[in-house]
Amino acid sequence: MTTSTTDSNSNMTATYLQHKNNLFAAESDIEKIKPFVSLNLLSAQSLQGEPALTPASGQAIITYVIAGEAAYSDSTGKQGRLQKDSWAWVIAGAGIWHSIAPITRDFIAVQMGIALSPALENSPPQTAYLQAEPNAADGDPAKLLIGWHGKKRSDFAIPSQLNYLVVPLKTQQYWSYELPLNHQFAWVTVVSGLVTTSTGKTLPSGVSIFNRPTAKIDFHAQADSILVLGSSLEFGHDLILQNTSVHTSTEALQLGHNGISAAAKILRL
């Protein structure tokens, strides 16, 4: 039986409420899959009472809208609306304030945090907001946000040396992911639905990690589902995670805090 859109959205909201904000809550998981450091499911319900603007530094924040509509704004001066299948690319760098505010009650999004390299973690903040694109002619359901997959290439070079995709699958649909030759691991999270691998294993609602020598992962959707998947080279830096700042040293962290404070003064927060 195919689940209705309303039922799917309700299921995703229920999934969010079963987890802590960060689905990568275990530090051991973050250590295994860095530079990926956070994965949050956002809904109109979960964002009630949240501050209008949130500070961040040292990381890239990628927000993909699964359903509904939201308003965006940031301290670089950009503002507008995001609808289903559109997404936000925020490079917090030296410090930024940004906001995703639900407009419709059915709003659901997935938000990924990715640590930046030492060369970029205190760079000037950058943002871009992209509208939904038509489905690929090759029939591949994957929405490539960062990196490369098959013949698809992301519009953005930052963050580099990694892939990040959102993959909606219909009931009984198959999909495969091949790790690029230089990537050492992949992880996947089932945001909603029910998905098995080629071995018949049902993927849990948390993060599943696949390391080399695994080179290809086959997925089979048992119901309408949404996967979030990433893969990367090894990230050869220790990380300091403090609230919404992610840096590779205490000095870089302090610079990030200074940048956040400077942006707050401009905004008169």
Side-chain angles (χ1 to χ4, degrees):
M1 180 176 66
T2 302
T3 306
S4 70
T5 302
T6 301
D7 289 343
S8 296
N9 292 350
S10 298
N11 290 340
M12 280 186 280
T13 300
T15 298
Y16 174 87
L17 295 174
Q18 291 170 6
H19 292 276
K20 296 180 178 180
N21 286 348
N22 186 0
L23 297 185
F24 297 161
E27 289 187 12
S28 58
D29 285 344
I30 295 174
E31 185 63 29
K32 294 173 184 175
I33 63 176
K34 64 184 184 182
F36 303 98
V37 294
S38 64
L39 178 62
N40 296 291
L41 300 183
L42 310 180
S43 70
Q45 182 178 359
S46 72
L47 293 175
Q48 283 183 352
E50 290 294 311
L53 288 166
T54 301
S57 67
Q59 62 173 316
I61 303 168
I62 314 297
T63 307
Y64 183 89
V65 179
I66 294 172
E69 187 175 354
Y72 68 81
S73 63
D74 65 54
S75 54
T76 73
K78 294 178 182 175
Q79 58 183 351
R81 291 191 173 192
L82 293 172
Q83 298 176 329
K84 183 179 183 298
D85 294 327
S86 57
W87 58 287
W89 176 83
V90 174
I91 303 300
I96 197 170
W97 291 77
H98 66 110
S99 172
I100 300 290
I103 295 174
T104 60
R105 296 178 64 182
D106 63 342
F107 169 77
I108 297 173
V110 60
Q111 187 173 81
M112 168 61 61
I114 304 171
L116 296 174
S117 67
L120 295 171
E121 62 184 309
N122 292 119
S123 61
Q126 308 173 57
T127 62
Y129 300 88
L130 295 92
Q131 298 307 312
E133 296 182 353
N135 291 330
D138 61 6
D140 188 342
K143 311 293 185 182
L144 176 67
L145 305 188
I146 301 294
W148 67 94
H149 169 63
K151 296 181 179 180
K152 298 177 181 179
R153 296 292 184 272
S154 169
D155 293 333
F156 301 104
I158 303 172
S160 62
Q161 300 182 331
L162 60 86
N163 289 350
Y164 175 53
L165 308 92
V166 176
V167 189
L169 297 173
K170 296 295 185 183
T171 302
Q172 298 303 318
Q173 187 171 6
Y174 290 88
W175 182 73
S176 296
Y177 180 74
E178 293 189 28
L179 276 72
L181 291 176
N182 57 344
H183 285 196
Q184 298 303 309
F185 68 88
W187 60 265
V188 62
T189 293
V190 180
V191 174
S192 68
L194 182 66
V195 179
T196 58
T197 64
S198 57
T199 63
K201 176 185 176 182
T202 299
L203 292 174
S205 57
V207 59
S208 298
I209 302 171
F210 301 85
N211 294 302
R212 292 288 187 184
T214 299
K216 182 181 179 183
I217 313 166
D218 297 311
F219 301 99
H220 182 200
Q222 306 298 322
D224 286 2
S225 305
I226 297 176
L227 297 177
V228 179
L229 181 146
S231 67
S232 178
L233 283 70
E234 288 188 11
F235 188 75
H237 307 282
D238 292 331
L239 291 176
I240 301 173
L241 284 69
Q242 189 175 98
N243 297 323
T244 53
S245 292
V246 179
H247 288 278
T248 62
S249 69
T250 54
E251 294 79 11
L253 176 64
Q254 186 58 55
L255 289 173
H257 286 176
N258 294 344
I260 288 170
S261 297
K265 289 179 180 179
I266 294 173
L267 295 171
R268 298 181 180 180
L269 295 178

